[in-house]
Amino acid sequence: GGYGGSDLYITFRSREGGWSTPQNLGSKINSPFDELGGDITPDGKYLTFGRNGDIYWVSTKFINELRK
């Protein structure tokens, strides 16, 4: 059900300590190629990940739209 061979997903921790169901990060991040190794920078401002041997970084602002 994803965009390519390997997609990035996110899950959120609840106040009770459990985890939400993983959500695909969508077409803002995922492509027909393999996305790998998603990390948030220590300041929380950027998501970094790899695709086809390149490293990408994007603002994390879109992540709050996924939080339910």
Side-chain angles (χ1 to χ4, degrees), residues 35-46:
E35 282 71 38
L36 305 167
D39 292 301
I40 302 292
T41 56
D43 61 8
K45 292 182 179 181
Y46 299 98

Side-chain angles (χ1 to χ4, degrees), residues 2-3 6-14 18-30 35-41 44-49 58-68:
Y3 292 82
S6 178
D7 286 354
L8 295 182
Y9 287 73
I10 191 166
T11 187
F12 298 99
R13 188 150 196 170
S14 71
W19 293 93
S20 67
T21 301
Q23 297 177 61
N24 190 299
L25 289 178
S27 62
K28 291 182 180 181
I29 302 301
N30 296 308
E35 282 71 38
L36 305 167
D39 292 301
I40 302 292
T41 56
K45 292 182 179 181
Y46 299 98
L47 167 69
T48 63
F49 62 97
V58 296
S59 171
T60 56
K61 290 181 181 180
F62 79 97
I63 291 175
N64 284 330
E65 298 170 11
L66 300 173
R67 196 180 296 266
K68 295 181 179 179

